[in-house]
Amino acid sequence: MFKSIDGGKTWQRTGLERTERINRIALHPENADIAYAAALGTLWGENIDRGIFKTMDGGKTWEKILYVDEKTGGTDIKLDPFNPNKLYASMWQHRRWPYFFDSGGPGSGLYISWDGGESWKRKTEEDGLPSGDLGRITISPSAAERGRIYALVEAEKSAMLRSDDGGATWVKTNEDHNIADRPFYYTEILADPQNADRVYNIFTRLSTSIDGGKTFELNPVVDCCAPGNTIHIDNHAFWINPNDPKHLILGNDGGIAISRDRGETWRFVRNLPLSQFYHVRVDNDLPYNIYGGLQDNGSWRGPSAVWENAGIRNLHWQEVGFGDGFDTLPDPENSRRGYVMSQGGMLSAWDLDTGEQRLIRPAPPSPEVELRFNWNAAIAQDPFDPATIYYGSQFVHKSTDRGASWTAISGDLTSNNSDWQTFRDSGGLTPDVTAAENFTTIVSIAPSPKEPGTIWVGTDDGRVHLTRDGGASWSRVDERVRGVPQGSWVPMIAASPHDAGVAFIVFDNHRRSDMRTYVYRVENYGRDWTSLTTDALSGYALSILQDHVDPELLFLGTEFGLYISTNSGSDWVRFTAGLPTVSVMDMAIQERENDLVLGTHGRSIFVLDDYSALRDLGEAAFGQRLAILNATEGQQYETSDSPSTRFTGSGEFRAENRPYGVMITFMASGDDLMHPDKDAERERSIRRRAASPADKTDEPAKLPKVEMKVSNADGELIRTQKFAVHQGVNRIVWAMDRDGVRPMPGPVPAELEDGLPGGIEVPAGEYEITLSLSDAEGTPVSSSRRVLVVPDPRSRATTQARLENYRVMRELDAMQEAAVTAVERVVNAQADVATAQALIKQEQESGGPGTDALMQLGKQAAGIQKELVNLENLLRVPPKTKGNVYDDDKSISKIGLARYYVGSSKDAPSETAEVYIEQARESLNAAIGTIDKFMNSDLLAFRQALAEAGIGLFTRSVDG
């Protein structure tokens, strides 16, 4: 249980850890310290920490106020809207196994308390409840009418019940066969807060009754499965605005939808990245694409980055298969086609160019054999033959023609335990057979990328097999493992990219209520097993990968996050930089980019860009003052406009692109640097302040910055920039640009402490980046790395044309620089003349001799100031000019147009561009000539007149 007292900004854990699953929380409307929790308990086992709990001290302590037995948990708790001491609770006997689930039993029941849970009375069939064993029950008291309560009860004959006397007696208002269609997964009812006769049934669909629960009408918008203006089915959560019952929020397997007209129309919420991925894959396109299957929401293909101006949008993702989505593979030879799975072993080949989704599921080897496919079956691409794929039932199936035909290359590799093959009868009181309980099946297939014919296979009942001859013979190797409970799931095997005899295997036994981590390194083709589990790991293991360059670098995904080891699994560190606590179901490495792609079950996809700095990273590296760990290639590209409208407001999710430029990852250390951890930084600040009491000032200490210098192949320094730096691993980006031109003078001085603004993009080629950071004694410590900038592969411009473009852009930079200098001269002169005018006025007010001369000097100053404004107008529109004035005749505008013309392409400037360049050059030269003439005549004469009057201050503007 977690609690927030600041509107959800921060959360504190407040107990009930051993309950595992809490289905409902009820809060006292008048006392914030009183709360109730309906705890289901362990789903995959039995425990005593389940039932209805109550706290009276804001969660510090909890009392179990209703308990049946270790098989029965609390599934609902509601407070009467008219009497918060009157409680309605339901208990549910249920249990799930890997191969079966059972809803219902003598432990289930409906209870009422009149004294805040001190005592309870169970309602029975004598009170109007269905006869026999009951299953899941959900309750909804009406806030619109005292005594009106609804309950949906799973039973042999499930029923909607209504009470009009506060729960004393109940009547069955509806016993349709589908009134509670899948209560094990979702069952919810909710009474309208202002109309006692309106009640909603939230299940696979959404239905509404307006006659007190007697009849229900399905909402036509919440429907499956045609695309269009509909909302996903399989509903789990529902909210009605108590002050406006037309305002509804629906939560389901597809996300969240909002209605403002009582469900007639819905708006799907598109900006919450909450997808539940089962698997993730990548291709080798540029930029590469990511593939994955979503829980009950199809299988998808989308870009890791887009060369567009609005980031990665939902519309960039293409559905390639419907149903529950699982592993989705691109064809190695053509990423616009591939393979996609849905539940029960349904396998299709998709083609984005033709639109075809051809079913290619293997057939049984003989009529008397029924294939057993897991809910989340195993599929693999052969690393050596792009036309060959492998698919797992209880057998390994092989196709050498992209699924057109299949051959079983193994016998049954599972236990084939008939006691575990009960999926046909799963559900309990309400049958629920969907392939989710298919068992004794293959769930992982891993061909070796080092040795053709070597294939590792794992099953959901704990078997691991290996073939070294393409399936002609198989060896069982899991019998050699120690410390893993028998029958544990094998969700992933990672065949080593370095050694064909090595694999990394994770076991997952949470379906038997065992949440421990099991991860192993297997050597000598399965003969030697070494546990890599340490106390640093948390959560059952789901996925594992070995880096393709550094054999000691491992990545492990568990139910609670990502762990990294740089020493072959001897030690693990949890990765938390930008990654929440989330189930990391699968991972993929894009080898060209050195990107780690995570498929999470609940927070969509995360990409760790260029993790190569982790290679060979040891403890000693963290003691270096400064060291570049890695620098990527810089990929240039022209940015195009994103599809659809660019003005989407806040209602659309947009993922970040990979940073544009060369990413430099470096290590920095020293107590004078900030610590990236907030708590550690606080301690550092306190410690340093205490060590230097004499340095106490109101001004915060100035933190060191790292300086980046970039030189081209000729050794010319082209870019200097400073960045904030903290202890540990840092990342900065060089945007592949030169130093730009300093900004035009304005009302607020430009901040140039960290370097000039970025300028024009450099041509492709080799560059050297040097980082510098002074140590405690002030001595600079440097680290350098050569990097490569590569051109846009789509560009039609030749290398010679791109270099000519760059040369001309540098000329335009020089023109811009000259324009800025000219404006600075004019602005400085304006300031000097303004000061002179103030001094002249001061002399006039003193009443001294020469009043007439001073008056004449004042008039001269006013004329000079007016002419300076005219000079500034030759170059630009002065700041703070009212309105939008015509500026095409200004030199800066002409230079800007020429820059835009040339910079809009990487090709050599066209003849038309040359016209605009020449116009800009002529305008600038004319303006500078006029300024020079004025400065050396009228302004010089004014300066001399000031000097003769004893007023001298000109030091900047005349000489430039």
Side-chain angles (χ1 to χ4, degrees):
M1 178 72 75
F2 289 82
K3 174 185 176 182
S4 175
I5 57 174
D6 55 10
K9 294 179 181 177
T10 60
W11 294 84
Q12 298 83 40
R13 191 164 63 179
T14 56
L16 300 181
E17 290 86 356
R18 291 193 297 271
T19 60
E20 187 178 291
R21 297 165 199 270
I22 298 172
N23 191 58
R24 187 85 72 210
I25 301 169
L27 305 178
H28 196 286
E30 299 165 2
N31 189 334
D33 286 332
I34 297 178
Y36 302 88
L40 288 170
T42 53
L43 175 63
W44 303 93
E46 299 173 0
N47 73 330
I48 61 172
D49 293 288
R50 53 175 66 198
I52 306 297
F53 292 81
K54 179 180 182 179
T55 180
M56 299 186 67
D57 54 14
K60 295 177 183 177
T61 60
W62 292 86
E63 179 187 1
K64 190 191 298 182
I65 59 174
L66 181 58
Y67 176 74
V68 175
D69 57 36
E70 69 278 4
K71 299 179 181 180
T72 306
T75 187
D76 205 357
I77 177 70
K78 299 286 174 59
L79 276 62
D80 190 284
F82 301 95
N83 178 6
N85 286 322
K86 187 176 183 181
L87 312 178
Y88 308 93
S90 59
M91 305 295 285
W92 180 30
Q93 181 176 324
H94 67 287
R95 171 72 188 273
R96 190 167 194 173
W97 292 264
Y99 45 85
F100 183 79
F101 69 76
D102 190 11
S103 176
S108 300
L110 176 62
Y111 293 79
I112 300 179
S113 171
W114 286 265
D115 50 17
E118 294 290 327
S119 60
W120 296 87
K121 182 177 181 180
R122 180 173 181 174
K123 310 309 291 183
T124 67
E125 61 182 286
E126 286 75 19
D127 301 309
L129 270 66
S131 60
D133 287 343
L134 304 180
R136 196 169 187 177
I137 302 170
T138 180
I139 313 155
S140 184
S142 171
E145 182 178 310
R146 183 185 294 271
R148 172 69 63 86
I149 313 162
Y150 295 95
L152 181 59
V153 181
E154 182 189 13
E156 284 293 341
K157 191 170 186 180
S158 299
M160 178 71 71
L161 308 183
R162 190 183 78 214
S163 174
D164 292 315
D165 55 11
T169 61
W170 299 81
V171 295
K172 301 180 182 69
T173 60
N174 190 300
E175 295 180 280
D176 289 348
H177 72 283
N178 63 346
I179 192 66
D181 66 342
R182 300 188 70 192
F184 192 92
Y185 284 103
Y186 30 69
T187 187
E188 186 74 73
I189 58 172
L190 198 57
D192 187 298
Q194 296 182 12
N195 183 339
D197 287 331
R198 179 178 284 113
V199 60
Y200 296 88
N201 187 6
I202 303 97
F203 57 115
T204 300
R205 299 280 301 277
L206 174 67
S207 63
T208 309
S209 173
I210 58 174
D211 56 8
K214 296 177 184 177
T215 61
F216 284 84
E217 181 179 352
L218 290 171
N219 187 298
V221 182
V222 184
D223 197 5
C224 181
C225 292
N229 295 324
T230 56
I231 295 297
H232 202 289
I233 61 169
D234 295 354
N235 302 291
H236 299 266
F238 194 65
W239 177 81
I240 306 175
N241 188 330
N243 301 313
D244 178 11
K246 292 183 178 181
H247 182 196
L248 313 175
I249 301 179
L250 180 66
N252 53 47
D253 280 3
I256 292 175
I258 300 172
S259 175
R260 289 284 186 173
D261 54 13
R262 200 175 275 121
E264 288 188 27
T265 60
W266 295 85
R267 178 176 65 86
F268 176 63
V269 177
R270 301 175 61 84
N271 58 353
L272 292 175
L274 304 176
S275 301
Q276 296 175 308
F277 277 88
Y278 282 109
H279 285 283
V280 68
R281 300 271 185 159
V282 295
D283 63 24
N284 209 39
D285 288 4
L286 182 67
Y288 67 89
N289 295 293
I290 300 172
Y291 303 77
L294 292 174
Q295 189 276 326
D296 202 16
N297 221 7
S299 296
W300 297 81
R301 174 189 192 262
S304 62
V306 291
W307 294 355
E308 297 173 4
N309 61 3
I312 306 168
R313 305 171 64 178
N314 292 334
L315 58 80
H316 287 114
W317 283 80
Q318 171 69 52
E319 186 179 68
V320 296
F322 190 55
D324 273 84
F326 299 104
D327 218 342
T328 307
L329 278 65
D331 188 306
E333 293 186 326
N334 181 356
S335 67
R336 292 188 59 79
R337 68 187 184 198
Y339 313 96
V340 63
M341 288 193 299
S342 58
Q343 59 265 45
M346 303 306 290
L347 179 65
S348 297
W350 52 268
D351 189 320
L352 293 181
D353 293 323
T354 66
E356 183 181 54
Q357 293 187 8
R358 178 167 54 93
L359 187 63
I360 58 170
R361 175 179 171 173
S366 61
E368 63 273 10
V369 174
E370 181 180 4
L371 295 181
R372 298 190 304 273
F373 290 98
N374 194 269
W375 174 258
N376 182 3
I379 189 171
Q381 172 70 52
D382 188 277
F384 302 97
D385 180 8
T388 296
I389 55 175
Y390 304 93
Y391 198 41
S393 56
Q394 68 268 44
F395 311 110
V396 177
H397 304 268
K398 178 181 180 180
S399 173
T400 59
D401 52 13
R402 293 183 166 88
S405 61
W406 295 90
T407 302
I409 62 170
S410 78
D412 190 334
L413 298 184
T414 75
S415 66
N416 196 23
N417 185 340
S418 59
D419 293 339
W420 292 345
Q421 295 168 1
T422 56
F423 60 89
R424 297 176 184 85
D425 303 315
S426 187
L429 287 173
T430 306
D432 201 309
V433 181
T434 62
E437 279 65 48
N438 289 9
F439 201 61
T440 61
T441 63
I442 291 171
V443 291
S444 52
I445 301 175
S448 170
K450 293 289 289 182
E451 187 174 85
T454 294
I455 307 171
W456 304 78
V457 173
T459 70
D460 55 15
D461 56 356
R463 304 289 179 94
V464 179
H465 284 80
L466 174 69
T467 180
R468 298 188 62 189
D469 52 17
S473 61
W474 293 84
S475 301
R476 183 179 172 189
V477 297
D478 62 275
E479 294 168 309
R480 296 176 178 269
V481 67
R482 299 292 180 266
V484 178
Q486 189 174 4
S488 297
W489 207 283
V490 187
M492 187 169 182
I493 302 174
S496 171
H498 303 278
D499 186 337
V502 173
F504 297 86
I505 302 179
V506 293
F507 292 89
D508 168 16
N509 200 37
H510 86 269
R511 294 170 182 83
R512 292 181 175 86
S513 211
D514 174 10
M515 306 298 173
R516 291 174 292 179
T517 311
Y518 301 102
V519 53
Y520 287 82
R521 177 186 175 96
V522 185
E523 300 177 289
N524 296 321
Y525 295 99
R527 286 189 288 273
D528 301 316
W529 292 69
T530 303
S531 173
L532 304 182
T533 303
T534 71
D535 291 340
L537 298 176
S538 177
Y540 48 87
L542 295 166
S543 54
I544 189 167
L545 286 177
Q546 182 184 35
D547 179 48
H548 55 288
V549 175
D550 179 3
E552 294 195 358
L553 178 57
L554 304 178
F555 303 98
L556 175 67
T558 79
E559 179 66 8
F560 297 139
L562 172 67
Y563 292 84
I564 297 175
S565 174
T566 58
N567 56 9
S568 298
S570 297
D571 301 283
W572 295 93
V573 175
R574 185 174 172 192
F575 186 88
T576 57
L579 184 68
T581 299
V582 67
S583 174
V584 180
M585 291 285 284
D586 197 10
M587 298 182 286
I589 292 174
Q590 214 296 328
E591 295 185 2
R592 182 191 65 232
E593 306 291 346
N594 298 306
D595 286 358
L596 180 67
V597 182
L598 308 180
T600 75
H601 211 64
R603 296 295 294 273
S604 197
I605 286 175
F606 286 82
V607 178
L608 176 56
D609 291 319
D610 182 36
Y611 67 78
S612 58
L614 299 173
R615 292 174 183 145
D616 304 314
L617 184 64
E619 188 174 346
F622 287 87
Q624 299 179 87
R625 177 60 174 175
L626 179 70
I628 294 178
L629 301 177
N630 189 62
T632 65
E633 281 188 351
Q635 175 64 65
Q636 295 179 330
Y637 59 83
E638 291 296 318
T639 302
S640 61
D641 292 329
S642 177
S644 187
T645 178
R646 66 175 61 198
F647 305 113
T648 59
S650 304
E652 181 184 77
F653 175 72
R654 297 198 181 194
E656 295 179 56
N657 257 331
R658 182 187 181 100
Y660 184 78
V662 176
M663 292 189 295
I664 305 120
T665 307
F666 65 94
M667 182 71 74
S669 66
D671 199 48
D672 58 330
L673 304 180
M674 286 184 63
H675 198 287
D677 180 80
K678 182 176 68 174
D679 294 334
E681 171 57 22
R682 183 175 183 273
E683 293 301 319
R684 185 198 73 90
S685 180
I686 293 172
R687 183 174 62 251
R688 288 183 64 82
R689 188 169 62 251
S692 305
D695 294 340
K696 288 183 178 178
T697 64
D698 293 334
E699 294 292 325
K702 206 167 188 178
L703 292 167
K705 291 187 176 182
V706 66
E707 183 178 62
M708 177 189 73
K709 291 181 178 293
V710 182
S711 301
N712 62 21
D714 296 327
E716 177 195 5
L717 179 64
I718 62 170
R719 186 78 170 109
T720 302
Q721 195 173 1
K722 291 181 179 180
F723 298 87
V725 60
H726 59 72
Q727 297 178 40
V729 179
N730 294 254
R731 174 168 284 174
I732 59 176
V733 177
W734 171 46
M736 302 180 290
D737 54 357
R738 296 182 61 95
D739 280 338
V741 179
R742 65 188 183 278
M744 282 283 182
V748 179
E751 292 285 345
L752 299 177
E753 181 182 348
D754 293 337
L756 289 168
I760 61 175
E761 190 167 86
V762 300
E766 190 175 84
Y767 296 84
E768 184 174 60
I769 294 176
T770 299
L771 301 185
S772 298
L773 179 65
S774 296
D775 61 18
E777 286 73 38
T779 305
V781 178
S782 299
S783 181
S784 298
R785 183 69 61 98
R786 289 194 174 277
V787 300
L788 191 65
V789 172
V790 295
D792 189 334
R794 306 166 302 173
S795 175
R796 298 185 179 93
T798 65
T799 299
Q800 184 177 356
R802 287 196 293 267
L803 289 174
E804 177 61 14
N805 181 286
Y806 178 67
R807 184 192 67 78
V808 174
M809 287 297 292
R810 289 199 63 188
E811 283 187 3
L812 291 167
D813 259 4
M815 291 168 61
Q816 179 84 5
E817 182 84 29
V820 171
T821 300
V823 171
E824 287 173 343
R825 292 175 65 197
V826 172
V827 169
N828 290 338
Q830 289 172 338
D832 286 346
V833 173
T835 302
Q837 288 175 307
L839 293 173
I840 293 169
K841 183 178 181 181
Q842 183 179 330
E843 288 291 328
Q844 288 176 319
E845 290 174 349
S846 67
T851 302
D852 292 342
L854 287 173
M855 183 178 299
Q856 185 62 34
L857 197 58
K859 291 180 179 179
Q860 186 179 0
I864 292 291
Q865 197 70 283
K866 182 177 180 180
E867 186 57 32
L868 286 171
V869 171
N870 293 334
L871 292 175
E872 183 178 4
N873 269 289
L874 293 175
L875 293 161
R876 69 170 182 177
V877 175
K880 297 187 176 181
T881 298
K882 181 180 179 181
N884 294 319
V885 300
Y886 178 75
D887 65 352
D888 288 356
D889 57 340
K890 313 302 181 189
S891 295
I892 287 297
S893 296
K894 292 179 180 293
I895 295 171
L897 179 57
R899 287 176 63 93
Y900 183 32
Y901 218 107
V902 177
S904 64
S905 169
K906 287 293 187 277
D907 214 336
S910 65
E911 291 183 4
T912 307
E914 294 288 357
V915 171
Y916 286 108
I917 294 169
E918 186 57 31
Q919 287 180 357
R921 184 181 292 113
E922 290 175 356
S923 173
L924 178 64
N925 290 341
I928 291 176
T930 303
I931 292 170
D932 287 343
K933 181 179 179 181
F934 177 80
M935 295 289 185
N936 293 314
S937 55
D938 295 26
L939 189 61
L940 182 60
F942 178 61
R943 184 174 71 166
Q944 292 170 346
L946 284 175
E948 291 171 0
I951 303 172
L953 74 158
F954 280 86
T955 58
R956 299 174 294 170
S957 59
V958 174
D959 300 326

